[in-house]
Amino acid sequence: MKPSIQKSLLATAVVCALSTESAFAQLEEVIVTAERREANLQETPISIQVLSSEEIQSRGIKSAMDLVDQVAGVQGYAPPGTTSDVGLNIRGIGDGSPNLSVDPGTARYIDGVYIGKVVGSGMDITDLQRIEILKGPQGTLYGRNTIAGAINFVSKAPSDELAVDLRATAGNYNQRDLSGRIDVPLTDSLRVAASYYQRDRDAFWDNTNPFQDGFNSTDRSGYRMALQWDITDRLSVDYIYTNDDVSDERDNHSVVSGLNPTYAGVAGYAGAGGDLTAVPIQSDSRLQTVGGIASFVQAFVLPNLPAPQVGQYLQWSADYAAWGQGVLDGVNQNPETGSSDFDSFNSQSTEAHTFKAQFELTDNIDIKYIYGHREVSAYTSQDLDGMNNSTNGGVMHDLVLQTIGGSFLGGVVPSQIELAPGFVLPIADAATENVLLGLLMVDTINEFGSAPVFSTYALNEYEQDSHELQIVGSSGNLDWAGGFFYWEDEGSFRNVQNATFPLANGSQGRSFDNGGDAWSVFGEATWRPADGNFALTAGLRYTEENKDMTWLWRDAALGGVGGYVSAAIQEAAALALQGVVINIPRDLGAGYVWSLDDLDTIPETAGVYGQSEKQRFDNTSGRLVAQYNFTDNVNVYASYTTGYRAGGFNGGSYNRVTSTGDAFDEETIESMEIGFKSVLADGRIRLNASLYSYDYDDVQVSTVKSDANGLSTEIDNAAKLSREGLEIEAAWLITDRLQLTGNYSYIDGSYDAFPPYLGLTITPTEGLAPENSAYLALDWDVLRRGKHVVSFNLSGNYQDATQSIGASTSLYSAAGQPQIPVNFQQPVNQSRTLVNTRLTWAYEADGGTEVRVSAWGQNITDEDYRTFGYNLGADLGLPVHQWGNPATYGVDISVSM
């Protein structure tokens, strides 16, 4: 459906609703805790957006990922291979790599407890009372890693009345959700609540491989226990326990979105004056290379070697040509399928304990203590290349086909090799060795059933503990808050990765252990003169933290095709130098492991395994705000705020030449903001706006890099970024039955500096930072009659086109040829308008029981749009992308007693 038609849905609904009889009404007051005390949203000089429990329910928000299409200026993605991690981006500043060794830039808090990593951040969050989205750095009261902002998930406290809430959902793709909550007041001072949820949904996208499951399914469950005890009139404690599980959820699909050029293709492109900082990814050079080699094999090898393996190789080459042309012809079309040659899924368990104690020291001073403990265990099995490389209906990769064809043509095992200057060792039977290698490659692939291009098995285990002491008080014209924060965590990452079976030397393990600790002291005060119209806020926070990393890399001994060639050379050398005939077994599958259980069988990487490094960081962040109240309902503020994100180590990268890890420093930000907040028209209109400007220094830039050492994400600090923006948030209660809500975000910025890649000067993209984004929702009580209410909700979210990451660099290499560093073009994440709707019938029976039945739809126009992508580099040649969710619809039934 075209955008003009989509937008007319909202316009039509507004016109119809305006015929409703007007009545005096006011917007509900919104209470937030952004400044560590309860306060009216309109009186808090921070750009905040709040979603109430009703909005959370009507918009279908169940996890952090659901925020992405609900709030203008908030973007995000689920990284490849998992649906349980979520990278978020506020005002164009985001989390960066989802690597366990990297801290996020958008802080998440669940009931006051900071969530330390992106890993496990996409779990469902039950019993939500509200979500507070604080935009911009929050370096004083929130501290480390809030450089983009902070998101507070605030859950419902146990009720002092007996209550039961039951919900069920049925939808397309066989969606089946169940949840329930019970509140029990044990005494006048002791209350408990228990809740449970279960969500199941079939895969959104089928797999072109009929022997494998589809992509992007849901299978998760969890439960929560909460206790609240008023020990005395002044002392209360809360305890919350949560347990969440993801059970074999199918991965997000990766769709091949083009083909990178070959070495010859990119060399020719550069020779013709092409821009190596923007190399096109719609190249047919790989198709031409595979086709050219196959034509020679058919003409000169097949007549003399009519073996079935040769015929199968030729069919594989023809299949690749047809597949590759289909990719190039359909790069901007959602195929509505994905491809893999083995099982791709993620399983995760998360367990968390939260303890809070609040003591009212005096009528004006409260002391609060918050303890949080969280454990995450996440296992993923990932086929990341977007291809089905199985022998049963799949497609072989071009590197595999080039190597098989090259062997048949005598080009892989050399006819001679120079062992020393002036001493050349002939390999007399090189021609036979080449033919046997080609035959063995085909047989090995058939025996294994596929030739995987890039696959991983990984286990993340993470544990964190935090303690926070807050003292909040007021005295005369002064409101103040201060406290102490302590944090420690430790993580373990284990993985096995395999590339281009059976060409590579074998499996790799890029495992590591990491951890750290941090402490900080903070304070903030707001002074209001006697006239009450002006307020001045000042705050500081000092932080020290330590980070450590131990690299536990493993690399297989020489295997695959390289092992075969090495064996041929060793046999020739033994015969020529010693007159001895030896026979070294040829096993192209040697050195590959296909399970984390076999990780320890891969040899440790000399010079890397066991290497450890430590870093110490400290930072002072501050906040200064001036606020002026024109009336009780209209105020303006101006603020200067600083923040930082901690440095550390990237466990996925290690420089073997310098024997140093990929260490990076902290990044810092300075923010200037002018804001306006107002409640107008006798409380029926809320209009808030803010203008902001960022100076963002030592930016931690994550770039996907592929070279001779494999595929990795590197992090550099050399970037500097400037950014300006405008945000508007409005709500209009047109009548007591009709409300419009909207928000708009404009982002403009550019990199003032960006690290070169091997001497290549790159102009990066803005990443997931759309210039314009907007959200508009209409809520209309269509009918109120007696105990019956029929309500209608229609919402639309628009955002401009984006590109996924700042830069997509890679290094081209060829024997005897100069290396060529490049930066690839990226497929565009298309602009999109997503329309959601909900129609609800509610009935309140005698005794307070309420029944609700809702019919809902999300992305009802079935908009196609990319969400996130990356490039597997020069050698693998595959840019891959994920596509957004299709249209979904269903029915909710809830009973509250």
PDB file of all heavy atoms in Angstrom, residues 208 211 252 305 395 638 702 720 761 816 864 878 892:
ATOM      1  N   THR A 208      13.978 -21.924   2.474  1.00  0.00           N
ATOM      2  CA  THR A 208      14.062 -22.546   1.156  1.00  0.00           C
ATOM      3  C   THR A 208      14.594 -23.967   1.253  1.00  0.00           C
ATOM      4  O   THR A 208      14.438 -24.745   0.302  1.00  0.00           O
ATOM      5  CB  THR A 208      14.967 -21.734   0.221  1.00  0.00           C
ATOM      6  OG1 THR A 208      16.289 -21.643   0.796  1.00  0.00           O
ATOM      7  CG2 THR A 208      14.413 -20.321   0.022  1.00  0.00           C
ATOM      8  N   PHE A 211      14.305 -29.098   4.699  1.00  0.00           N
ATOM      9  CA  PHE A 211      14.704 -29.945   5.821  1.00  0.00           C
ATOM     10  C   PHE A 211      15.072 -29.131   7.066  1.00  0.00           C
ATOM     11  O   PHE A 211      15.515 -29.689   8.062  1.00  0.00           O
ATOM     12  CB  PHE A 211      15.877 -30.842   5.410  1.00  0.00           C
ATOM     13  CG  PHE A 211      15.560 -31.726   4.248  1.00  0.00           C
ATOM     14  CD1 PHE A 211      15.960 -31.375   2.963  1.00  0.00           C
ATOM     15  CD2 PHE A 211      14.824 -32.895   4.420  1.00  0.00           C
ATOM     16  CE1 PHE A 211      15.652 -32.183   1.875  1.00  0.00           C
ATOM     17  CE2 PHE A 211      14.513 -33.710   3.343  1.00  0.00           C
ATOM     18  CZ  PHE A 211      14.921 -33.349   2.071  1.00  0.00           C
ATOM     19  N   ASN A 252      16.444 -14.645  13.425  1.00  0.00           N
ATOM     20  CA  ASN A 252      16.099 -13.719  12.353  1.00  0.00           C
ATOM     21  C   ASN A 252      16.746 -14.207  11.053  1.00  0.00           C
ATOM     22  O   ASN A 252      17.858 -14.721  11.061  1.00  0.00           O
ATOM     23  CB  ASN A 252      16.609 -12.317  12.671  1.00  0.00           C
ATOM     24  CG  ASN A 252      15.904 -11.716  13.863  1.00  0.00           C
ATOM     25  OD1 ASN A 252      14.689 -11.654  13.891  1.00  0.00           O
ATOM     26  ND2 ASN A 252      16.655 -11.271  14.855  1.00  0.00           N
ATOM     27  N   LEU A 305      37.626 -37.135 -18.317  1.00  0.00           N
ATOM     28  CA  LEU A 305      37.339 -37.604 -16.954  1.00  0.00           C
ATOM     29  C   LEU A 305      35.826 -37.551 -16.737  1.00  0.00           C
ATOM     30  O   LEU A 305      35.310 -36.675 -16.059  1.00  0.00           O
ATOM     31  CB  LEU A 305      38.073 -36.730 -15.915  1.00  0.00           C
ATOM     32  CG  LEU A 305      37.948 -37.146 -14.453  1.00  0.00           C
ATOM     33  CD1 LEU A 305      38.624 -38.492 -14.207  1.00  0.00           C
ATOM     34  CD2 LEU A 305      38.561 -36.071 -13.549  1.00  0.00           C
ATOM     35  N   VAL A 395      22.688 -24.500  -2.855  1.00  0.00           N
ATOM     36  CA  VAL A 395      23.607 -23.855  -3.792  1.00  0.00           C
ATOM     37  C   VAL A 395      24.989 -23.807  -3.154  1.00  0.00           C
ATOM     38  O   VAL A 395      25.129 -23.380  -2.002  1.00  0.00           O
ATOM     39  CB  VAL A 395      23.136 -22.421  -4.133  1.00  0.00           C
ATOM     40  CG1 VAL A 395      24.126 -21.739  -5.071  1.00  0.00           C
ATOM     41  CG2 VAL A 395      21.747 -22.443  -4.743  1.00  0.00           C
ATOM     42  N   ALA A 638      16.806  25.204  29.986  1.00  0.00           N
ATOM     43  CA  ALA A 638      18.039  25.081  29.211  1.00  0.00           C
ATOM     44  C   ALA A 638      19.007  24.253  30.042  1.00  0.00           C
ATOM     45  O   ALA A 638      19.149  24.479  31.249  1.00  0.00           O
ATOM     46  CB  ALA A 638      18.636  26.448  28.898  1.00  0.00           C
ATOM     47  N   SER A 702      32.220   0.848  15.811  1.00  0.00           N
ATOM     48  CA  SER A 702      32.285  -0.579  15.504  1.00  0.00           C
ATOM     49  C   SER A 702      32.206  -0.764  13.996  1.00  0.00           C
ATOM     50  O   SER A 702      31.274  -0.281  13.352  1.00  0.00           O
ATOM     51  CB  SER A 702      31.118  -1.332  16.166  1.00  0.00           C
ATOM     52  OG  SER A 702      31.183  -1.228  17.563  1.00  0.00           O
ATOM     53  N   LYS A 720      34.848  11.553  15.779  1.00  0.00           N
ATOM     54  CA  LYS A 720      34.239  12.698  16.462  1.00  0.00           C
ATOM     55  C   LYS A 720      32.969  13.037  15.702  1.00  0.00           C
ATOM     56  O   LYS A 720      32.964  13.061  14.475  1.00  0.00           O
ATOM     57  CB  LYS A 720      35.204  13.884  16.486  1.00  0.00           C
ATOM     58  CG  LYS A 720      34.664  15.124  17.181  1.00  0.00           C
ATOM     59  CD  LYS A 720      35.698  16.229  17.196  1.00  0.00           C
ATOM     60  CE  LYS A 720      35.132  17.531  17.762  1.00  0.00           C
ATOM     61  NZ  LYS A 720      34.697  17.391  19.157  1.00  0.00           N
ATOM     62  N   THR A 761      40.521   6.659   3.463  1.00  0.00           N
ATOM     63  CA  THR A 761      39.717   7.671   4.143  1.00  0.00           C
ATOM     64  C   THR A 761      38.248   7.454   3.811  1.00  0.00           C
ATOM     65  O   THR A 761      37.851   7.461   2.643  1.00  0.00           O
ATOM     66  CB  THR A 761      40.151   9.083   3.726  1.00  0.00           C
ATOM     67  OG1 THR A 761      41.537   9.260   4.050  1.00  0.00           O
ATOM     68  CG2 THR A 761      39.329  10.133   4.464  1.00  0.00           C
ATOM     69  N   GLY A 816      50.557 -12.757  -4.976  1.00  0.00           N
ATOM     70  CA  GLY A 816      51.416 -11.972  -5.847  1.00  0.00           C
ATOM     71  C   GLY A 816      50.859 -10.638  -6.252  1.00  0.00           C
ATOM     72  O   GLY A 816      51.441  -9.951  -7.107  1.00  0.00           O
ATOM     73  N   ASP A 864       6.881  -3.730   3.348  1.00  0.00           N
ATOM     74  CA  ASP A 864       8.167  -4.415   3.250  1.00  0.00           C
ATOM     75  C   ASP A 864       9.290  -3.420   3.512  1.00  0.00           C
ATOM     76  O   ASP A 864       9.330  -2.347   2.882  1.00  0.00           O
ATOM     77  CB  ASP A 864       8.355  -5.027   1.852  1.00  0.00           C
ATOM     78  CG  ASP A 864       7.578  -6.319   1.686  1.00  0.00           C
ATOM     79  OD1 ASP A 864       7.366  -7.016   2.696  1.00  0.00           O
ATOM     80  OD2 ASP A 864       7.180  -6.630   0.543  1.00  0.00           O
ATOM     81  N   LEU A 878      29.367 -11.766   0.468  1.00  0.00           N
ATOM     82  CA  LEU A 878      27.921 -11.759   0.665  1.00  0.00           C
ATOM     83  C   LEU A 878      27.479 -10.618   1.576  1.00  0.00           C
ATOM     84  O   LEU A 878      27.730 -10.642   2.783  1.00  0.00           O
ATOM     85  CB  LEU A 878      27.469 -13.084   1.275  1.00  0.00           C
ATOM     86  CG  LEU A 878      27.738 -14.343   0.455  1.00  0.00           C
ATOM     87  CD1 LEU A 878      27.445 -15.582   1.289  1.00  0.00           C
ATOM     88  CD2 LEU A 878      26.910 -14.332  -0.818  1.00  0.00           C
ATOM     89  N   ASP A 892      -7.242 -10.632  21.400  1.00  0.00           N
ATOM     90  CA  ASP A 892      -6.886 -10.710  22.820  1.00  0.00           C
ATOM     91  C   ASP A 892      -8.162 -10.840  23.637  1.00  0.00           C
ATOM     92  O   ASP A 892      -9.172 -10.167  23.349  1.00  0.00           O
ATOM     93  CB  ASP A 892      -6.151  -9.452  23.294  1.00  0.00           C
ATOM     94  CG  ASP A 892      -4.789  -9.289  22.660  1.00  0.00           C
ATOM     95  OD1 ASP A 892      -4.306 -10.255  22.041  1.00  0.00           O
ATOM     96  OD2 ASP A 892      -4.216  -8.190  22.778  1.00  0.00           O
TER      97      ASP A 892
END
